[in-house]
């Protein structure tokens, strides 16, 4: 048992830990994210199209996490008395294995959603 824990600790690099945390977050929020529908899906689609158009990005999939905020003038997803604003995003891009492409995707995602870099994760993916 102790030997297995030591192997696990050695294999758990910071990148692997971040990817694992992002996957667990997506699983935990899965039901909530799919219930938003409408404008949230439209925002994700627009961001995906924009990022996919970037040189070297390849196919990109984006999930945007939101949180409710009291209704104020804005353009985010509106519910009854609240506005859903982005609080985090994960992008899975075929070209994210290239460090320059990954950095450009992260910067674009931050700019598009008004998020700090700590709330954005871009990981490599593909078919």
């Amino acid at each position: 048992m102790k030997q297995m824990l030591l192997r696990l600790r050695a294999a758990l690099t910071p990148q692997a830990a971040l990817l694992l945390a992002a996957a667990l977050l997506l699983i935990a929020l899965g039901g909530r994210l799919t219930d938003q529908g409408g404008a949230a899906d439209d925002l994700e689609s627009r961001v995906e199209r924009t990022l996919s158009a970037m040189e070297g990005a390849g196919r990109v999939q984006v999930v945007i996490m939101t949180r409710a905020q009291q209704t104020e003038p804005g353009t985010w997803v509106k519910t009854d008395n609240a506005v859903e604003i982005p609080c985090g995003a994960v992008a899975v891009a075929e070209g994210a294995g290239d460090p320059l492409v990954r950095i450009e995707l992260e910067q674009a995602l931050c700019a598009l959603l008004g998020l700090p870099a700590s709330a954005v994760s871009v990981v490599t993916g593909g078919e």
Side-chain angles (χ1 to χ4, degrees), residues 62-125:
V62 176
V63 175
I64 300 171
M65 285 70 70
T66 61
R67 63 180 168 82
Q69 186 176 32
Q70 292 300 326
T71 303
E72 293 179 14
T75 58
W76 299 113
V77 182
K78 291 188 177 188
T79 58
D80 293 337
N81 291 325
V83 175
E84 294 288 324
I85 60 169
C87 62
V90 175
V92 179
E94 290 176 343
D98 179 340
L100 181 60
V101 172
R102 185 181 46 77
I103 290 169
E104 289 176 342
L105 288 169
E106 287 174 354
Q107 290 174 343
L109 201 50
C110 289
L112 287 169
L113 299 174
L115 294 172
S118 61
V120 170
S121 179
V122 176
V123 296
T124 304

Side-chain angles (χ1 to χ4, degrees), residues 26-40:
L26 290 175
I27 291 168
L29 296 176
R32 183 176 158 240
L33 293 173
T34 56
D35 291 341
Q36 290 181 60

